[in-house]
Amino acid sequence: MKQMRIIGVLSVLAGLWVGLGTVGTVSIAQAETTKPAKTIKTEYQYAAKVVCSLLLPHQDGTLARGTYRTTINIHNPTNKQITVAAKVALATQFGSEPGPFGVTPFKEAVLQPDGAVGMSCFDVAGYFCPIDGVCVDFAFLEGFLVIKSPVPLDVVGVYTARHTDGDVESIDVETVQPKQVREMVKVGSTEPTKPGGGKRVDYPPKGSPAYGDKESKQMCGGIAGFPCPAGKTCVDDPSDNCDPTRGGADCSGICVK
């Protein structure tokens, strides 16, 4: 799992934000409006690595074929309630032109004194639904969760991996060190889309090597509560080992007719 610390820029996301205009989208309904933005004064920044297989085992050659998951834990060590902000920065191909969704807007979270929160792969993917009325359904996602805070935090990344079938085979825990970056952060809280809301794009596009010889599936459910388009229902994905009836709180599903 040490490779995750030096993965760098992966070609799996090459051309995503440059080529979104050529990727087919499905117009379903108008996305929810956003709340007015507010400003948070921050002094510390944490960049936590995220590597996430969301629909199928990753298999396009940039990483070893397998299933990768990340959880970022954030702890407030102070005796005061604080507000922190976070965004996601995708890793794109080195030298590529910046796209409209390479860095998401900030979202805020309130941490109670001595309180902690966890961010799963599905929470991270949720930052991309919606942005300007568009939701991205990732087969694989790689980049950074960037956390801004007014005080020093305890930020720890937990990384697990396994073969395409079976239980966890590798786990790594990494403490994320802060940088002192004083900044006024504008937070625009986005309301979740209604079921069937927004436009949706698949990334990688259907037919990409990331799907192998399997048909691409649209993820739904999970902690982020991704909706299905109108006319489809979210059901448990039988191809994974996550069972919502046996304590799998963050199990994602697939959309079926």
Side-chain angles (χ1 to χ4, degrees):
M1 295 301 297
K2 290 182 179 179
Q3 290 180 340
M4 290 182 177
R5 301 171 184 170
I6 56 173
I7 286 175
V9 178
L10 299 182
S11 61
V12 64
L13 293 167
L16 168 58
W17 311 117
V18 179
L20 267 179
T22 60
V23 177
T25 63
V26 180
S27 180
I28 302 169
Q30 189 68 26
E32 294 277 339
T33 57
T34 59
K35 294 179 180 178
K38 71 177 185 180
T39 302
I40 300 174
K41 182 179 180 181
T42 64
E43 293 195 25
Y44 297 89
Q45 174 178 297
Y46 300 80
K49 186 68 184 175
V50 292
V51 183
C52 299
S53 305
L54 292 163
L55 298 187
L56 296 170
H58 184 61
Q59 52 194 354
D60 77 343
T62 55
L63 287 177
R65 175 180 166 87
T67 298
Y68 299 84
R69 289 292 167 86
T70 300
T71 299
I72 305 299
N73 292 315
I74 307 167
H75 172 242
N76 171 19
T78 74
N79 60 1
K80 297 181 179 180
Q81 177 177 292
I82 62 170
T83 300
V84 301
K87 64 182 178 181
V88 180
L90 284 180
T92 56
Q93 187 176 29
F94 187 79
S96 63
E97 292 293 328
F101 303 142
V103 180
T104 72
F106 279 101
K107 292 185 180 182
E108 67 173 321
V110 176
L111 296 180
Q112 300 300 322
D114 202 31
V117 296
M119 296 281 290
S120 72
C121 281
F122 303 107
D123 297 319
V124 171
Y127 276 68
F128 296 88
C129 186
I131 300 177
D132 294 332
V134 177
C135 295
V136 181
D137 294 322
F138 287 97
F140 183 80
L141 184 155
E142 188 265 342
F144 292 90
L145 178 68
V146 181
I147 303 156
K148 301 274 193 175
S149 171
V151 300
L153 302 171
D154 300 318
V155 179
V156 176
V158 181
Y159 306 93
T160 57
R162 62 174 174 82
H163 285 89
T164 55
D165 297 302
D167 296 326
V168 62
E169 296 173 320
S170 176
I171 184 170
D172 189 25
V173 178
E174 179 178 353
T175 299
V176 183
Q177 299 299 324
K179 291 183 178 180
Q180 192 157 17
V181 181
R182 293 183 174 90
E183 185 178 3
M184 298 297 291
V185 175
K186 183 178 290 186
V187 178
S189 298
T190 302
E191 295 288 348
T193 53
K194 295 178 180 179
K199 297 179 181 179
R200 309 194 76 96
V201 297
D202 292 313
Y203 192 82
K206 293 180 180 179
S208 162
Y211 297 102
D213 57 358
K214 298 182 180 180
E215 181 182 355
S216 65
K217 301 179 291 184
Q218 182 174 329
M219 181 185 70
C220 59
I223 290 179
F226 292 126
C228 287
K232 289 190 175 183
T233 303
C234 187
V235 300
D236 182 47
D237 185 354
S239 67
D240 63 27
N241 293 323
C242 191
D243 187 346
T245 65
R246 297 183 179 180
D250 67 344
C251 292
S252 63
I254 55 175
C255 295
V256 298
K257 292 183 179 180

